Amino acid sequence: MSDFGEMLKSLRKERKVSQRKLAELVGIDFTYISKIESGTMDPPAEDKILKIAEVLDVDPDTMILAAKKIPSDFQKVISENEEIPAFLRKVQNISPEQWKAIHRIVDGNVKGE
């Protein structure tokens, strides 16, 4: 079972939504939901993931990342700024403390207050 499939099944059950109901609300066949949850099918396209997240009231980015996809708005940012890929390569293996420092800078709190 995929990470996305496991997450989908868990969220769906927590919210007491049947596969049939979820499929109906998202606009896909319920057998596809079953196959996604069992890991026999890949996660759906981003538009369907966004609809699933809306129906299940969860953060869409969390679901998109669980599906091993990059949100389309990030693709635009990455493709339009040649510095972004280099930055991402550099930060692949930074420490949690370094991430915290980056967050402080981005949030405008450079002193870490």
Side-chain angles (χ1 to χ4, degrees), residues 43-113:
E46 182 178 358
D47 64 323
K48 298 300 182 189
I49 293 173
L50 294 174
K51 185 66 178 167
I52 290 169
E54 179 184 327
V55 169
L56 298 178
D57 192 30
V58 295
D59 177 54
D61 286 337
T62 300
M63 294 202 76
I64 291 170
L65 294 174
K68 306 286 190 250
K69 297 178 185 272
I70 298 172
S72 58
D73 56 337
F74 290 5
Q75 292 172 5
K76 183 176 181 344
V77 170
I78 292 168
S79 67
E80 292 180 355
N81 185 335
E82 62 188 43
E83 295 177 19
I84 299 288
F87 173 78
L88 293 173
R89 283 187 186 88
K90 289 178 183 177
V91 299
Q92 287 183 77
N93 299 309
I94 66 172
S95 71
E97 293 78 25
Q98 290 170 311
W99 272 119
K100 287 177 187 175
I102 291 170
H103 279 278
R104 285 193 302 270
I105 291 167
V106 171
D107 293 339
N109 187 2
V110 180
K111 293 181 183 178
E113 299 170 358

